[in-house]
Amino acid sequence: MSKETQTEVLETRRDEQHEAQMTVWEATYNLLRKLGLTTIFGNPGSTEQPFLKNFPKDFQYVLGLQEASVVAMADGFSQATNKPAFVNLHTSAGTGNAMCNIMTAFQNKTPLIITAGQQTREMILGEPLLTNRDETTLPRPWVKWAYQPVRAQDVPAAIMRAYAIASQPPAGPVYLSIPLDDWDQPALGDAVVRTVSSRYAPDPDRISLFAEKIRKSKNPVLVYGQEIDRSGDWDAGIKFAEQLRAPVFFAPVAERASFPETHPQFQGMLPIAIGPLSKRLRGHDLIIVIGAQIFRYYPFVPGDYLPTGAELLQITSDPADAGAAVVGDSLLADAKLALEALIQLVPKNQTRSLPAPLRVDNKLPSPPNNPLTANEAFAALSELRPDSAILVQESPSNIDDLLRHWPITQPESYFTYASGGLGWNAPAAVGIALAQKKTGSGRAVVAVIGDGSLQYSVQSLYSAVQHKLKVIYVVPCNGEYAILKEFAVLEKTPNVPALDLPGLDVVSTAKGFGCPSVLARTKAEIKEAFAKALKADGPTLIAIPIAHQDRPLVAPVAD
Ligand SMILES: Cc1ncc(C[n+]2csc(CCOP(=O)(O)OP(=O)(O)O)c2C)c(N)n1
Ligand SMILES: [Mg+2]
């Protein structure tokens, strides 16, 4: 064999060896497949392209035009599928844009595996363009873990670790920064796939102690929080409430509904301020809070944290929420497992008189107001409400009116944000609707989004259009930041600038993203638009001009 031929043979062998050697890219996609993470929410840049190259046919890329939308779409998708979701952001720039909704995902306790591209390892020291400087500091404190693998070969195992951390209670987002030159590097082979638990059971001694207090209580009250809906067991919550014959409240501004609002024991949502909240619970000797923090207050309205003579028990799966509780004794447990245990430990009460059912005032003025009030607009909408519809809500000043006309009666049917960071719900509705499309549930998503709130993640309309998702955006247009005006009255801060929003045209905005959109001013127009939207094979935006109203931020509770 000549020298040249020998060299050629050697080079061919080396090429074959290289081909046979799995790359970090291949090992990662293999792992994502095994973990069921085949939907990737992202917005691409040059630092992500080596990961996205030759995008496999069995994966779906869901493009968000701005990263706040990307993260919230993934959050909604994760919540609606009850599985972690995968996100790919553009280095520090994309992470910066995404930050508000990463903060919200952390408070929602949604398991998100957020990856971001990073500059080439070889150059990072010199900080070239697009370097994600101090990459693990940027997303903190709103991620459970932030990491950049020390070697390219660790990328798949780091994703596995991210998955394990994100999904254990309390679930939450994790962040991985991955240099762009890692993807073509040789891998160590397929990553080890591991499973972890997503619930933990209560300590038997402590739950017995709690059960004893509940048995001895004369007049207990239940406060149900989002963790019950997340733990997937409304039935246990209903059974326990009926066994106890106690009134049931929702925790203040809970981001999920955990009990049928039409149940005779349901008493509404607790006020979001210290004094009014404790007034509402007056007369009870034991307050049992399941699956919520103590409490999610908003404006400072002083008063007692608890009514006189009352004791509080909190059951939560989040040690941070247990630690931060301002009053009460706490027990760590998954809501479903705790409720199942309590059903066994607390016998059915036969004698306690049931609470008087909540009186809901649904009266409407005749003739109707012009423009309609939010109350009248939601009443019109609710006449055509499909039983299976999912409600997503970011309409800060209109929550009470909306929930009055749209009582939640089924699990996994109400979603909002735990944080109050505007710009979560419009894109989350897209992720929730995508989940419905994938499962073929046929459930429509109705997203009620304030005219101010819509502007924060308005690009998500584009994703709903492109994926032909059944999202019906209902935008109550008051041309103002109404809730901030209510806050200004409560705080006695007159003449705050920029609380009016003249000149917003949300119908034209939606059309710019290709979203069919209509202005509905009367009850008849609202019903016509809603009926048409329910039949459409894609999203619709219905803008409803509504009247300005002077309402108190926190409704007074009678003494
Ligand atoms: C990201 C973000 N920026 C600013 C705020 C402050 N903020 C809270 S409510 C609100 C106004 C919301 O207006 P709109 O959606 O029109 O609802 P309305 O109060 O009119 O019902 C603003 C600006 C916030 N919560 N989040
Ligand atoms: Mg408004």
Side-chain angles (χ1 to χ4, degrees), residues 65-107:
L65 298 184
Q66 207 268 12
E67 288 83 354
S69 292
V70 170
V71 169
M73 288 195 295
D75 191 334
F77 186 75
S78 166
Q79 292 199 47
T81 53
N82 292 306
K83 291 191 182 123
F86 192 89
V87 174
N88 188 237
L89 301 176
H90 180 51
T91 182
S92 45
T95 308
N97 279 348
M99 216 43 236
C100 177
N101 281 334
I102 294 178
M103 178 273 291
T104 294
F106 186 87
Q107 296 194 43

Side-chain angles (χ1 to χ4, degrees), residues 12-23:
T12 317
R13 282 215 191 113
R14 235 181 262 136
D15 279 355
E16 278 169 2
Q17 260 177 4
H18 184 75
E19 263 176 45
Q21 174 113 46
M22 185 184 285
T23 61

